[in-house]
Amino acid sequence: MRVCSFFVLRIVFLFDQVGEIKRMRELFYPTLDKVYVIDQKCLFVIEQGEGMIEVDFKVYHDWQKKGIYLSKGQYIKFLSADFKVVKFNLEDAQQATSKEARVLFSHLVAVGHIDLKQSDHYLLSNLTPKQEVDSNTLITASTEQWFYQNPFNASRDEYSMIFDLKETIDQRYTAVTKANDIFMDSSAQIKEVSHVLKDKVGITINGLLQQKKSLESRKEVALTSKSIKEIAFDLGFKDPAYFNRVFKKWVGKSPKVFRELFDYQGRDMFMTDLLALIEAHFKQQHKVDFYADKMHLTTKALSKKVKDKIDQSISSIIKEKLVCSSKKMLSNGALVKEVAYRHGFEEANHFSAFMKHYTGQSPTAFLI
Protein backbone atom coordinates (compact mmCIF):
# COMPACT_ATOMS: atom_id res chain seq x y z
CA MET A 1 0.00 0.00 0.00
CA ARG A 2 1.53 3.28 -1.11
CA VAL A 3 0.55 5.38 1.86
CA CYS A 4 1.72 2.97 4.53
CA SER A 5 4.91 1.59 2.98
CA PHE A 6 7.23 4.03 4.71
CA PHE A 7 5.81 3.32 8.18
CA VAL A 8 5.75 -0.46 8.30
CA LEU A 9 7.70 -1.78 11.27
CA ARG A 10 6.77 -5.44 10.98
CA ILE A 11 5.31 -7.36 8.04
CA VAL A 12 3.84 -10.83 8.33
CA PHE A 13 3.81 -12.72 5.05
CA LEU A 14 1.09 -15.24 4.30
CA PHE A 15 1.21 -17.75 1.44
CA ASP A 16 -1.81 -18.42 -0.76
CA GLN A 17 -2.57 -21.75 -2.38
CA VAL A 18 -0.26 -21.22 -5.37
CA GLY A 19 2.65 -20.08 -3.23
CA GLU A 20 2.50 -16.31 -3.80
CA ILE A 21 3.70 -14.16 -0.93
CA LYS A 22 1.03 -11.78 0.30
CA ARG A 23 1.36 -8.99 2.81
CA MET A 24 -1.77 -9.09 4.93
CA ARG A 25 -0.85 -7.51 8.23
CA GLU A 26 1.20 -4.39 8.93
CA LEU A 27 2.07 -2.69 12.18
CA PHE A 28 2.97 0.98 12.07
CA TYR A 29 3.01 4.21 14.02
CA PRO A 30 1.40 6.83 11.76
CA THR A 31 2.85 10.29 11.34
CA LEU A 32 0.82 13.04 12.97
CA ASP A 33 -1.52 14.88 10.58
CA LYS A 34 -0.36 12.94 7.52
CA VAL A 35 -2.94 11.91 4.90
CA TYR A 36 -2.93 8.17 4.15
CA VAL A 37 -4.89 7.42 0.98
CA ILE A 38 -6.28 3.88 0.83
CA ASP A 39 -5.63 1.73 -2.25
CA GLN A 40 -7.46 -1.48 -1.24
CA LYS A 41 -10.07 -2.76 1.18
CA CYS A 42 -8.58 -2.98 4.64
CA LEU A 43 -9.20 -3.07 8.38
CA PHE A 44 -7.46 -0.70 10.77
CA VAL A 45 -7.28 -1.78 14.41
CA ILE A 46 -6.33 0.99 16.83
CA GLU A 47 -4.14 -0.82 19.34
CA GLN A 48 -3.07 2.29 21.20
CA GLY A 49 -3.82 6.00 21.09
CA GLU A 50 -6.10 8.68 22.40
CA GLY A 51 -7.76 11.49 20.54
CA MET A 52 -8.92 12.03 17.03
CA ILE A 53 -8.75 10.47 13.63
CA GLU A 54 -10.06 12.00 10.43
CA VAL A 55 -11.68 9.89 7.71
CA ASP A 56 -13.04 11.48 4.53
CA PHE A 57 -13.24 14.99 6.04
CA LYS A 58 -15.01 13.87 9.25
CA VAL A 59 -13.32 13.81 12.65
CA TYR A 60 -13.91 10.93 15.10
CA HIS A 61 -12.80 10.39 18.71
CA ASP A 62 -11.70 7.61 21.08
CA TRP A 63 -10.81 4.76 18.70
CA GLN A 64 -8.82 2.45 20.97
CA LYS A 65 -9.82 -1.19 20.31
CA LYS A 66 -12.08 -0.22 17.41
CA GLY A 67 -12.00 -1.86 14.00
CA ILE A 68 -12.26 0.65 11.14
CA TYR A 69 -13.09 -0.60 7.64
CA LEU A 70 -11.94 1.42 4.66
CA SER A 71 -12.11 1.00 0.89
CA LYS A 72 -10.02 2.17 -2.05
CA GLY A 73 -10.21 5.93 -2.51
CA GLN A 74 -10.87 6.83 1.12
CA TYR A 75 -8.29 8.48 3.33
CA ILE A 76 -7.41 8.38 7.02
CA LYS A 77 -5.44 10.91 9.05
CA PHE A 78 -4.33 10.58 12.69
CA LEU A 79 -4.58 13.79 14.68
CA SER A 80 -2.66 12.64 17.75
CA ALA A 81 0.95 11.54 18.00
CA ASP A 82 0.57 8.38 20.09
CA PHE A 83 -1.35 6.03 17.78
CA LYS A 84 -0.21 2.46 17.28
CA VAL A 85 -2.12 0.84 14.42
CA VAL A 86 -2.43 -2.65 12.95
CA LYS A 87 -3.64 -2.76 9.35
CA PHE A 88 -5.10 -5.87 7.73
CA ASN A 89 -5.20 -5.89 3.92
CA LEU A 90 -8.43 -7.59 2.83
CA GLU A 91 -8.66 -6.98 -0.91
CA ASP A 92 -7.93 -10.60 -1.85
CA ALA A 93 -10.48 -12.11 0.53
CA GLN A 94 -13.46 -13.63 -1.27
CA GLN A 95 -15.76 -12.48 1.53
CA ALA A 96 -14.78 -8.83 0.91
CA THR A 97 -17.04 -8.74 -2.16
CA SER A 98 -20.05 -10.43 -0.56
CA LYS A 99 -23.33 -8.55 -0.15
CA GLU A 100 -23.18 -9.12 3.59
CA ALA A 101 -19.76 -7.43 3.85
CA ARG A 102 -21.09 -4.24 2.23
CA VAL A 103 -22.12 -3.05 5.68
CA LEU A 104 -18.44 -2.85 6.61
CA PHE A 105 -17.07 -1.07 3.55
CA SER A 106 -19.94 0.97 2.04
CA HIS A 107 -20.35 3.72 4.59
CA LEU A 108 -23.61 5.65 4.96
CA VAL A 109 -23.39 8.66 7.28
CA ALA A 110 -20.23 7.79 9.23
CA VAL A 111 -17.18 5.57 8.94
CA GLY A 112 -17.91 1.84 9.28
CA HIS A 113 -16.51 0.24 12.42
CA ILE A 114 -17.04 -2.46 15.00
CA ASP A 115 -16.27 -2.41 18.71
CA LEU A 116 -13.73 -5.15 19.37
CA LYS A 117 -14.04 -4.93 23.15
CA GLN A 118 -17.75 -5.75 23.02
CA SER A 119 -17.36 -8.75 20.73
CA ASP A 120 -17.83 -12.29 22.03
CA HIS A 121 -15.88 -13.61 19.04
CA TYR A 122 -12.39 -14.60 20.19
CA LEU A 123 -10.84 -13.64 16.86
CA LEU A 124 -12.08 -10.06 17.10
CA SER A 125 -11.68 -9.41 20.82
CA ASN A 126 -8.07 -10.64 20.74
CA LEU A 127 -6.72 -9.23 17.47
CA THR A 128 -3.03 -8.46 17.97
CA PRO A 129 -0.06 -7.68 15.72
CA LYS A 130 1.23 -11.26 16.15
CA GLN A 131 -2.00 -13.18 15.71
CA GLU A 132 -2.40 -15.57 12.79
CA VAL A 133 -5.73 -14.86 11.10
CA ASP A 134 -7.51 -15.90 7.93
CA SER A 135 -8.89 -12.86 6.07
CA ASN A 136 -12.16 -14.53 5.04
CA THR A 137 -12.81 -15.64 8.62
CA LEU A 138 -11.97 -12.13 9.82
CA ILE A 139 -14.50 -10.53 7.46
CA THR A 140 -17.19 -13.08 8.33
CA ALA A 141 -16.71 -12.51 12.06
CA SER A 142 -16.63 -8.74 11.59
CA THR A 143 -19.86 -8.79 9.58
CA GLU A 144 -21.57 -10.80 12.31
CA GLN A 145 -20.36 -8.30 14.90
CA TRP A 146 -21.60 -5.36 12.81
CA PHE A 147 -25.07 -6.88 12.55
CA TYR A 148 -24.98 -7.65 16.29
CA GLN A 149 -24.18 -3.98 17.01
CA ASN A 150 -26.91 -3.04 14.49
CA PRO A 151 -26.11 0.71 14.46
CA PHE A 152 -29.23 1.67 12.49
CA ASN A 153 -31.60 -0.75 14.25
CA ALA A 154 -32.72 -2.35 10.99
CA SER A 155 -33.47 -5.89 9.81
CA ARG A 156 -31.19 -7.67 7.35
CA ASP A 157 -33.75 -7.19 4.58
CA GLU A 158 -33.86 -3.47 5.31
CA TYR A 159 -30.07 -3.30 5.29
CA SER A 160 -30.04 -5.09 1.94
CA MET A 161 -32.47 -2.53 0.53
CA ILE A 162 -30.44 0.39 1.89
CA PHE A 163 -27.11 -0.90 0.61
CA ASP A 164 -28.55 -1.82 -2.80
CA LEU A 165 -29.47 1.85 -3.09
CA LYS A 166 -26.04 2.95 -1.83
CA GLU A 167 -24.37 0.70 -4.39
CA THR A 168 -26.45 2.18 -7.22
CA ILE A 169 -25.65 5.73 -6.12
CA ASP A 170 -21.93 4.94 -5.84
CA GLN A 171 -21.95 3.62 -9.41
CA ARG A 172 -24.12 6.29 -11.03
CA TYR A 173 -23.72 9.50 -9.01
CA THR A 174 -22.04 11.40 -11.86
CA ALA A 175 -24.94 10.69 -14.21
CA VAL A 176 -28.00 11.27 -11.97
CA THR A 177 -29.31 14.37 -10.20
CA LYS A 178 -32.36 13.16 -8.24
CA ALA A 179 -34.10 10.06 -6.88
CA ASN A 180 -36.32 9.65 -9.95
CA ASP A 181 -33.20 9.22 -12.10
CA ILE A 182 -32.18 6.23 -9.97
CA PHE A 183 -35.55 4.44 -10.07
CA MET A 184 -36.98 5.50 -13.42
CA ASP A 185 -39.10 2.37 -13.72
CA SER A 186 -40.76 2.24 -10.31
CA SER A 187 -42.28 5.07 -8.27
CA ALA A 188 -43.44 2.43 -5.76
CA GLN A 189 -39.83 1.36 -5.25
CA ILE A 190 -38.82 4.98 -4.61
CA LYS A 191 -41.49 5.27 -1.93
CA GLU A 192 -40.51 2.02 -0.20
CA VAL A 193 -36.76 2.67 -0.19
CA SER A 194 -37.27 6.31 0.82
CA HIS A 195 -39.27 5.27 3.87
CA VAL A 196 -36.71 2.69 5.03
CA LEU A 197 -33.74 5.01 4.44
CA LYS A 198 -35.36 7.95 6.22
CA ASP A 199 -36.60 5.83 9.13
CA LYS A 200 -33.36 3.91 9.74
CA VAL A 201 -30.59 6.24 8.61
CA GLY A 202 -32.31 9.63 8.93
CA ILE A 203 -31.52 10.79 5.41
CA THR A 204 -33.45 11.02 2.12
CA ILE A 205 -32.44 9.43 -1.19
CA ASN A 206 -31.63 12.86 -2.60
CA GLY A 207 -29.68 13.62 0.57
CA LEU A 208 -27.61 10.44 0.16
CA LEU A 209 -27.00 11.28 -3.50
CA GLN A 210 -25.88 14.83 -2.71
CA GLN A 211 -23.71 13.53 0.13
CA LYS A 212 -21.92 11.25 -2.35
CA LYS A 213 -21.48 14.03 -4.90
CA SER A 214 -20.15 16.38 -2.24
CA LEU A 215 -17.72 13.82 -0.82
CA GLU A 216 -16.28 12.85 -4.20
CA SER A 217 -15.99 16.52 -5.18
CA ARG A 218 -13.98 17.26 -2.04
CA LYS A 219 -11.75 14.24 -2.62
CA GLU A 220 -11.02 15.28 -6.20
CA VAL A 221 -10.24 18.84 -5.13
CA ALA A 222 -8.19 17.95 -2.05
CA LEU A 223 -6.38 14.77 -3.10
CA THR A 224 -5.57 15.32 -6.78
CA SER A 225 -3.68 17.90 -8.81
CA LYS A 226 -6.40 18.09 -11.49
CA SER A 227 -7.62 21.50 -12.57
CA ILE A 228 -11.01 22.56 -11.20
CA LYS A 229 -12.33 22.54 -14.76
CA GLU A 230 -11.21 18.95 -15.28
CA ILE A 231 -12.76 17.88 -11.96
CA ALA A 232 -16.06 19.53 -12.87
CA PHE A 233 -16.28 17.64 -16.18
CA ASP A 234 -15.22 14.32 -14.58
CA LEU A 235 -18.01 14.66 -12.01
CA GLY A 236 -20.68 15.26 -14.65
CA PHE A 237 -20.89 19.07 -14.48
CA LYS A 238 -21.12 20.67 -17.92
CA ASP A 239 -20.28 24.14 -16.61
CA PRO A 240 -17.21 24.59 -14.34
CA ALA A 241 -18.60 27.89 -13.03
CA TYR A 242 -21.74 26.08 -11.89
CA PHE A 243 -19.57 23.43 -10.19
CA ASN A 244 -17.75 26.21 -8.31
CA ARG A 245 -21.07 27.60 -7.06
CA VAL A 246 -22.41 24.19 -6.03
CA PHE A 247 -19.14 23.25 -4.31
CA LYS A 248 -19.17 26.46 -2.29
CA LYS A 249 -22.78 25.78 -1.29
CA TRP A 250 -21.84 22.25 -0.13
CA VAL A 251 -18.57 23.07 1.61
CA GLY A 252 -18.73 26.76 2.44
CA LYS A 253 -15.52 27.47 0.53
CA SER A 254 -14.51 27.67 -3.13
CA PRO A 255 -12.63 24.66 -4.55
CA LYS A 256 -9.41 26.67 -4.70
CA VAL A 257 -9.56 27.76 -1.05
CA PHE A 258 -10.60 24.26 0.08
CA ARG A 259 -7.59 22.73 -1.70
CA GLU A 260 -5.20 25.22 -0.10
CA LEU A 261 -6.61 24.66 3.39
CA PHE A 262 -6.57 20.86 3.16
CA ASP A 263 -2.89 20.93 2.19
CA TYR A 264 -2.57 17.31 1.03
CA GLN A 265 1.22 17.52 0.62
CA GLY A 266 1.66 18.68 4.20
CA ARG A 267 3.63 21.83 3.51
CA ASP A 268 1.73 23.81 6.16
CA MET A 269 2.81 22.66 9.64
CA PHE A 270 0.13 24.69 11.43
CA MET A 271 -2.09 21.78 12.55
CA THR A 272 0.88 19.57 13.33
CA ASP A 273 2.35 22.26 15.58
CA LEU A 274 -0.99 23.02 17.24
CA LEU A 275 -1.84 19.37 17.91
CA ALA A 276 1.63 18.78 19.37
CA LEU A 277 1.12 21.83 21.60
CA ILE A 278 -2.26 20.53 22.79
CA GLU A 279 -0.76 17.08 23.40
CA ALA A 280 1.91 18.62 25.63
CA HIS A 281 -0.36 20.91 27.68
CA PHE A 282 -4.01 19.77 27.56
CA LYS A 283 -3.97 18.27 31.06
CA GLN A 284 -3.24 21.62 32.68
CA GLN A 285 -4.23 24.21 30.07
CA HIS A 286 -7.91 24.05 29.13
CA LYS A 287 -8.39 27.55 27.73
CA VAL A 288 -8.08 28.47 24.05
CA ASP A 289 -6.29 31.72 25.00
CA PHE A 290 -3.21 29.78 26.11
CA TYR A 291 -2.83 28.05 22.72
CA ALA A 292 -3.56 31.23 20.79
CA ASP A 293 -0.75 32.98 22.64
CA LYS A 294 1.68 30.11 21.94
CA MET A 295 0.71 30.13 18.24
CA HIS A 296 1.09 33.94 18.10
CA LEU A 297 -2.52 34.47 17.00
CA THR A 298 -5.60 36.04 18.48
CA THR A 299 -8.13 33.62 19.94
CA LYS A 300 -10.57 34.47 17.17
CA ALA A 301 -7.98 33.96 14.41
CA LEU A 302 -6.82 30.63 15.85
CA SER A 303 -10.37 29.36 16.25
CA LYS A 304 -11.25 30.28 12.67
CA LYS A 305 -8.13 28.67 11.24
CA VAL A 306 -8.75 25.39 13.11
CA LYS A 307 -12.40 25.39 12.04
CA ASP A 308 -11.34 25.89 8.42
CA LYS A 309 -8.77 23.10 8.65
CA ILE A 310 -10.71 20.31 10.38
CA ASP A 311 -14.21 21.75 10.92
CA GLN A 312 -13.88 21.41 14.68
CA SER A 313 -13.30 23.82 17.56
CA ILE A 314 -10.14 23.87 19.68
CA SER A 315 -12.27 23.55 22.82
CA SER A 316 -13.78 20.30 21.57
CA ILE A 317 -10.31 18.91 20.80
CA ILE A 318 -9.11 19.72 24.33
CA LYS A 319 -12.25 18.30 25.95
CA GLU A 320 -12.00 15.07 23.99
CA LYS A 321 -8.35 14.70 24.99
CA LEU A 322 -9.30 15.26 28.65
CA VAL A 323 -12.11 12.70 28.48
CA CYS A 324 -10.02 10.00 26.77
CA SER A 325 -7.03 10.48 29.06
CA SER A 326 -9.22 10.50 32.19
CA LYS A 327 -11.09 7.35 31.15
CA LYS A 328 -7.79 5.57 30.60
CA MET A 329 -6.47 6.50 34.06
CA LEU A 330 -9.75 5.54 35.74
CA SER A 331 -9.86 2.17 33.96
CA ASN A 332 -6.33 1.52 35.23
CA GLY A 333 -7.48 1.97 38.84
CA ALA A 334 -6.54 5.60 39.60
CA LEU A 335 -8.62 7.41 42.23
CA VAL A 336 -11.09 10.03 41.00
CA LYS A 337 -9.35 12.71 43.08
CA GLU A 338 -5.97 11.84 41.57
CA VAL A 339 -7.33 11.89 38.00
CA ALA A 340 -8.99 15.25 38.62
CA TYR A 341 -5.73 16.75 39.93
CA ARG A 342 -3.64 15.30 37.07
CA HIS A 343 -6.02 16.89 34.54
CA GLY A 344 -6.01 20.40 35.97
CA PHE A 345 -9.24 20.39 37.98
CA GLU A 346 -9.00 22.15 41.33
CA GLU A 347 -11.85 20.15 42.84
CA ALA A 348 -12.89 16.53 42.29
CA ASN A 349 -16.53 17.60 42.07
CA HIS A 350 -15.66 19.95 39.16
CA PHE A 351 -14.05 17.01 37.37
CA SER A 352 -17.07 14.79 38.10
CA ALA A 353 -19.40 17.42 36.66
CA PHE A 354 -17.19 17.69 33.56
CA MET A 355 -17.21 13.93 32.95
CA LYS A 356 -20.93 13.68 33.56
CA HIS A 357 -21.57 16.47 31.06
CA TYR A 358 -19.38 15.09 28.26
CA THR A 359 -19.84 11.33 28.73
CA GLY A 360 -23.23 11.07 30.43
CA GLN A 361 -21.59 9.08 33.24
CA SER A 362 -19.81 9.86 36.49
CA PRO A 363 -16.07 9.08 36.75
CA THR A 364 -16.77 6.05 38.95
CA ALA A 365 -18.50 4.36 36.01
CA PHE A 366 -15.09 3.97 34.35
CA LEU A 367 -13.38 2.38 37.35
CA ILE A 368 -12.52 -1.31 37.08
Side-chain angles (χ1 to χ4, degrees):
M1 178 176 171
R2 184 185 72 239
V3 295
C4 294
S5 59
F6 297 107
F7 302 92
V8 175
L9 299 181
R10 183 187 306 155
I11 300 175
V12 178
F13 293 99
L14 300 180
F15 292 83
D16 68 3
Q17 293 179 346
V18 296
E20 279 186 298
I21 295 177
K22 295 190 175 183
R23 189 180 67 187
M24 179 186 171
R25 180 172 53 241
E26 303 171 4
L27 171 63
F28 68 102
Y29 294 84
T31 298
L32 173 68
D33 205 32
K34 179 177 177 62
V35 177
Y36 294 89
V37 179
I38 307 303
D39 66 359
Q40 62 177 296
K41 287 181 178 178
C42 58
L43 161 64
F44 282 86
V45 177
I46 309 300
E47 279 288 305
Q48 174 183 307
E50 299 170 357
M52 305 180 298
I53 64 169
E54 181 180 317
V55 177
D56 291 351
F57 312 103
K58 289 185 179 180
V59 176
Y60 303 90
H61 301 272
D62 191 14
W63 285 94
Q64 193 168 359
K65 283 299 180 182
K66 299 289 196 305
I68 307 168
Y69 294 81
L70 299 177
S71 295
K72 183 177 180 179
Q74 295 188 274
Y75 79 83
I76 186 168
K77 181 162 61 169
F78 297 86
L79 302 178
S80 294
D82 61 344
F83 279 107
K84 172 186 172 185
V85 181
V86 185
K87 175 178 168 288
F88 295 85
N89 298 314
L90 303 172
E91 188 69 24
D92 294 328
Q94 292 179 345
Q95 294 297 331
T97 59
S98 70
K99 284 202 167 188
E100 290 280 277
R102 292 182 302 179
V103 296
L104 301 174
F105 298 105
S106 298
H107 307 152
L108 294 171
V109 293
V111 65
H113 74 280
I114 60 171
D115 192 327
L116 302 177
K117 291 183 292 186
Q118 292 183 1
S119 177
D120 292 332
H121 199 294
Y122 178 82
L123 176 65
L124 298 180
S125 59
N126 293 279
L127 277 176
T128 68
K130 295 182 180 180
Q131 184 183 350
E132 295 297 334
V133 57
D134 173 74
S135 55
N136 284 310
T137 303
L138 177 56
I139 291 176
T140 299
S142 299
T143 304
E144 291 173 359
Q145 176 65 13
W146 196 95
F147 278 114
Y148 171 76
Q149 291 176 183
N150 196 3
F152 298 106
N153 193 29
S155 69
R156 291 206 177 215
D157 286 344
E158 288 170 331
Y159 277 123
S160 182
M161 189 182 301
I162 290 168
F163 281 96
D164 281 347
L165 168 67
K166 179 68 166 58
E167 217 165 63
T168 302
I169 288 176
D170 287 349
Q171 292 168 357
R172 301 187 58 205
Y173 71 93
T174 60
V176 299
T177 59
K178 55 185 182 301
N180 288 347
D181 298 332
I182 301 172
F183 301 108
M184 292 182 293
D185 56 340
S186 176
S187 58
Q189 189 178 12
I190 293 177
K191 187 175 181 180
E192 183 181 13
V193 176
S194 293
H195 173 74
V196 171
L197 185 66
K198 183 67 175 176
D199 181 50
K200 300 302 180 181
V201 186
I203 192 170
T204 65
I205 295 177
N206 284 329
L208 195 61
L209 175 60
Q210 294 308 310
Q211 179 179 282
K212 175 65 176 178
K213 286 177 175 284
S214 172
L215 174 59
E216 295 305 321
S217 297
R218 282 177 287 169
K219 283 184 183 178
E220 288 289 294
V221 170
L223 303 177
T224 76
S225 58
K226 295 179 184 177
S227 69
I228 303 304
K229 182 178 180 180
E230 185 180 0
I231 292 171
F233 289 144
D234 287 348
L235 293 173
F237 290 85
K238 297 179 181 179
D239 180 5
Y242 177 64
F243 171 72
N244 272 271
R245 293 195 298 272
V246 171
F247 188 94
K248 189 167 185 179
K249 181 180 179 182
W250 284 335
V251 182
K253 306 173 187 68
S254 70
K256 181 181 178 182
V257 170
F258 184 77
R259 173 174 278 173
E260 291 171 352
L261 286 170
F262 188 81
D263 187 32
Y264 174 42
Q265 300 301 327
R267 294 179 296 271
D268 182 0
M269 295 295 290
F270 168 77
M271 281 306 301
T272 301
D273 292 343
L274 175 61
L275 291 169
L277 192 64
I278 292 173
E279 186 70 32
H281 297 286
F282 76 93
K283 290 181 180 178
Q284 298 300 322
Q285 299 294 341
H286 305 169
K287 301 293 185 182
V288 177
D289 293 2
F290 170 83
Y291 300 96
D293 182 63
K294 292 291 185 181
M295 296 294 289
H296 307 291
L297 292 168
T298 65
T299 301
K300 184 176 180 179
L302 179 63
S303 299
K304 182 180 185 306
K305 193 164 184 178
V306 172
K307 185 73 173 174
D308 284 340
K309 284 283 189 181
I310 62 171
D311 196 27
Q312 184 155 354
S313 70
I314 302 175
S315 294
S316 66
I317 296 173
I318 296 167
K319 288 166 185 172
E320 288 293 339
K321 292 289 294 180
L322 287 169
V323 167
C324 291
S325 178
S326 298
K327 285 166 65 176
K328 184 176 181 180
M329 281 191 68
L330 290 164
S331 66
N332 287 331
L335 298 175
V336 172
K337 187 175 182 179
E338 178 189 0
V339 178
Y341 173 76
R342 290 281 188 89
H343 289 83
F345 292 88
E346 294 181 0
E347 301 288 343
N349 63 323
H350 294 168
F351 171 67
S352 296
F354 170 84
M355 291 294 287
K356 181 73 174 176
H357 179 75
Y358 289 103
T359 70
Q361 296 177 294
S362 66
T364 54
F366 302 100
L367 293 171
I368 294 180

